[in-house]
Amino acid sequence: MSRGSLSVVSDAVVARAPSKVNLHLGVGPRRDDGYHDLVTVFQALSLHDDVRISPSSALSVTVRGESAASVPADESNLAVRAVFALGAWADRAAKVSIDIDKAIPVAGGMAGGSADAAAALVALATLWQLDIDRDELSRIAAELGSDIPFSLHGGTALGTGRGEQLIPVLARGEYHWVLAIAREGLSTPAVYGELDRLRDNRSGSELDESELLARPDALMQALASGDPEAVAPLLHNDLQPAALSLQPTLRRTLRAGIDAGALNGIVSGSGPTCAFLCADETEAVNVAAELSGAGVTRSVRTASGPVPGTRIIDPT
Ligand code: ATP
């Protein structure tokens, strides 16, 4: 992996990991093992978490930020699991402090936990000066969670398998988003369960796996053109009906964003965050202001993408 210009590693190392939105999320039928194959196009967004890792006499974790209270500060925290996994790989005791500065909404469909795991992996590998390349780090990441390899990778990428097999996608230009963050989160397994239930209840035709898992070529061409107006109508999320079924108020949020002038709006991943693609930065600021005034969500943020994957930043 790249260690940037850090030739001498200081007491603390800080890594920054992006959030993500799925521009396309095709979900295959439930497999016998309960999982679903995916075809997805991820875009990494500027809304990020920072994770600071410093040497300590024992493992500890702190979380700060707006939704810190809903993040576990024990061994179920994905950043802690990442530290244990890299400790096992390096055969070293995980005696470090992990301090998470959280801006990505929790249980929001924006891969916040995955971001923290990716940041913990990169920060710890740097702190310990491990001789580990990005592919190996990605392999460890994929074992911890299927969105974590993309948090490392960043940019815009096509994900297959469970989303962990990545191919970069050429995306020209910068995309401006407004994120409507809901009051209550949604559990990813619950949303997949609801999708299965909705599909089981649908009378008639069998699910066509090849159709569900088709590569979104039109979207990828639009991304190559760099025109948000071409990309907007091609945003697609198979999980959206399930998220709307579990949180019907999201329909109102999606309508409010479109009414405010967004090109299109979509539930991000398993939701409930709604992501609105806007024509440019000025439009995004206008849409964000109007959406805040509509009072349909807990908070509203603007973000841009694509941004790079997880990287070391200056600890000061
Ligand atoms: P995804 O988009 O990858 O499906 P998400 O963004 O919807 O995930 P997360 O914010 O990653 O959801 O959190 C899902 C659950 O994981 C939370 O409810 C929380 O209990 C648990 N969790 C464990 N570690 C973390 C972490 N570092 N940050 C946030 N949640 C975490």
Side-chain angles (χ1 to χ4, degrees):
M1 59 166 278
S2 156
R3 293 187 190 146
S5 58
L6 286 178
S7 50
V8 178
V9 175
S10 59
D11 283 350
V13 176
V14 183
R16 173 163 295 174
S19 56
K20 61 86 184 165
V21 62
N22 302 80
L23 310 181
H24 174 92
L25 180 51
V27 181
R30 182 180 43 213
R31 302 188 320 207
D32 290 342
D33 63 5
Y35 288 107
H36 300 76
D37 287 318
L38 306 178
V39 170
T40 187
V41 176
F42 295 105
Q43 183 162 94
L45 300 187
S46 54
L47 180 69
H48 58 260
D49 283 356
D50 289 341
V51 175
R52 170 187 292 258
I53 305 264
S54 34
S56 173
S57 54
L59 184 96
S60 68
V61 58
T62 66
V63 188
R64 59 178 189 163
E66 202 185 320
S67 13
S70 39
V71 177
D74 59 20
E75 294 185 5
S76 67
N77 191 298
L78 271 171
V80 177
R81 295 184 46 213
V83 163
F84 281 137
L86 195 59
W89 182 88
D91 201 16
R92 288 181 68 155
K95 289 184 179 172
V96 288
S97 300
I98 306 167
D99 300 299
I100 303 173
D101 195 349
K102 198 145 193 64
I104 305 174
V106 179
M110 300 197 71
S114 302
D116 299 346
L121 288 175
V122 169
L124 187 60
T126 306
L127 181 76
W128 284 349
Q129 298 187 290
L130 297 179
D131 185 15
I132 183 168
D133 61 24
R134 280 267 168 176
D135 284 349
E136 185 64 0
L137 217 48
S138 248
R139 198 192 53 71
I140 297 172
E143 280 175 12
L144 289 164
S146 27
D147 281 349
I148 307 176
F150 179 72
S151 303
L152 290 172
H153 186 283
T156 305
L158 179 72
T160 55
R162 288 169 54 197
E164 81 289 8
Q165 292 160 28
L166 299 170
I167 304 170
V169 167
L170 173 67
R172 289 203 171 82
E174 200 180 3
Y175 295 83
H176 295 278
W177 296 90
V178 173
L179 305 170
I181 297 165
R183 292 191 175 87
E184 293 287 320
L186 271 177
S187 136
T188 304
V191 177
Y192 276 96
E194 182 66 2
L195 175 70
D196 294 336
R197 194 187 67 79
L198 293 174
R199 284 177 171 176
D200 288 346
N201 284 353
R202 216 177 51 176
S203 55
S205 58
E206 284 285 294
L207 291 175
D208 181 344
E209 183 166 347
S210 62
E211 206 175 290
L212 293 172
L213 296 176
R215 213 177 51 175
D217 289 326
L219 171 67
M220 296 205 289
Q221 272 165 25
L223 286 164
S225 79
D227 177 7
E229 306 233 9
V231 169
L234 300 170
L235 299 176
H236 174 80
N237 181 1
D238 276 350
L239 288 179
Q240 181 158 312
L244 294 180
S245 169
L246 294 175
Q247 272 198 23
T249 53
L250 295 178
R251 287 180 200 284
R252 206 145 54 95
T253 307
L254 287 171
R255 207 170 317 117
I258 305 286
D259 289 349
L263 297 173
N264 200 1
I266 195 167
V267 168
S268 177
S270 55
T273 306
C274 293
F276 297 94
L277 181 58
C278 298
D280 55 35
E281 192 173 2
T282 310
E283 266 308 297
V285 171
N286 291 340
V287 169
E290 200 158 318
L291 206 50
S292 297
V296 287
T297 62
R298 189 185 77 196
S299 58
V300 177
R301 297 273 163 80
T302 56
S304 62
V307 300
T310 304
R311 63 193 196 282
I312 298 297
I313 60 164
D314 187 340
T316 58

